Amino acid sequence: MSGICEGRVVVVTGAGRGLGRAHALAFAAEGARVVVNDLGVGLDGSPGADSPAAQVVAEIRATGGEAIAHGGDIATTDGARSLIATALEAYGRLDTLVNNAGFLRDRMLVNLDEDDWDAVLRVHLTGHFLPLRHAAAHWRAETKAGRTPQARVVNTSSGAGLSGSVGQGNYSAAKAGIVGLTLVAAAEFARYGVQVNAIAPAARTRMTERAFAETMAAPDAGFDAMAPENVSPLVIWLGSAASAGVTGRVFEAEGGRITVMEGWRPGPSADKGARWTPAEAGETARRLLVEAEVPRPVYGA
């Protein structure tokens, strides 16, 4: 039986473990040929002993699927360029890019140094931008050659990017930036046949196991709500041709729940038609806040 991604070529970054691994295996199970990217670093981004990408490729091939490993650093221009080139050289096409790679360096803001700020923004935000930019350049060239693709990009944000998370100022800023990047890319790349969406997943991975240790319930005998494999079905659909017409959206995915996030939109407003005094502006702002919806609390507050 043909899967929903039969014949598609899919690139997944950070696919050696956790969510990325689950996505890569799920895409392969649905008929895709998969480029498995993983640098093989530790939780904090330091170099690991070896890359797990080859292990995921072996798993896919053991079940009759097609996959190839890529161990480059996708937060560099050369690494991102070679990632896209690997897909094109191995399989002759590129249909879907799933940006997933990342790590944590958690600190309260008063203890967060510049290196930890830069490192997290580099891998999450730059590590989304560069593969996206090189993939889109390929799809633009295809469109100009008269071969408009049914291309898909799935970016990975987080609840921390949507609501903030105490002790994760760098991570929250990067994940919020990914939402902005997603919205702009969806608007700019539509003319090239590219749809761009983002997910904000919640699952048990190396990055979350310590944060969730005290709050996660033990897996139910029939359903482990925090398994990363629960997030993958939505990613597979967004990465397939079946998601036609869906772009510029952000979805939360956790366990058996999928939520369309509605983001920033105008709420209560007042227009004086002239310049406010500070006192008037403050009085008006307080009145509008009473009418406005209360924002979701910051995680950990």
Side-chain angles (χ1 to χ4, degrees), residues 99-148:
N99 284 315
N100 170 78
F103 59 73
L104 296 176
R105 292 190 183 178
D106 293 352
R107 300 282 191 281
M108 301 298 278
L109 288 173
V110 295
N111 296 320
L112 183 64
D113 63 33
E114 186 177 354
D115 287 345
D116 289 338
W117 172 270
D118 289 344
V120 169
L121 264 69
R122 175 185 178 276
V123 69
H124 287 280
L125 194 50
T126 304
H128 270 61
F129 161 65
L130 288 174
L132 173 63
R133 180 250 183 272
H134 288 285
H138 164 69
W139 289 323
R140 180 180 61 181
E142 287 292 284
T143 299
K144 289 183 176 180
R147 298 184 296 269
T148 301

Side-chain angles (χ1 to χ4, degrees), residues 186-273:
E188 290 187 358
F189 299 158
R191 71 190 72 178
Y192 309 131
V194 184
Q195 294 182 183
V196 187
N197 294 284
I199 60 164
R204 185 193 316 104
T205 69
R206 289 196 307 164
M207 286 174 53
T208 61
E209 60 186 0
R210 278 181 277 183
F212 289 171
E214 297 181 359
T215 58
M216 286 193 300
D220 183 87
F223 180 57
D224 179 358
M226 298 310 297
E229 290 78 8
N230 298 329
V231 176
S232 297
L234 176 61
V235 175
I236 303 309
W237 183 78
L238 289 171
S240 75
S243 63
V246 179
T247 193
R249 293 288 193 164
V250 179
F251 298 84
E252 278 195 334
E254 175 184 354
R257 178 177 60 83
I258 295 172
T259 304
V260 178
M261 304 304 290
E262 295 190 326
W264 292 102
R265 61 182 62 235
S269 177
D271 185 355
K272 179 182 178 182

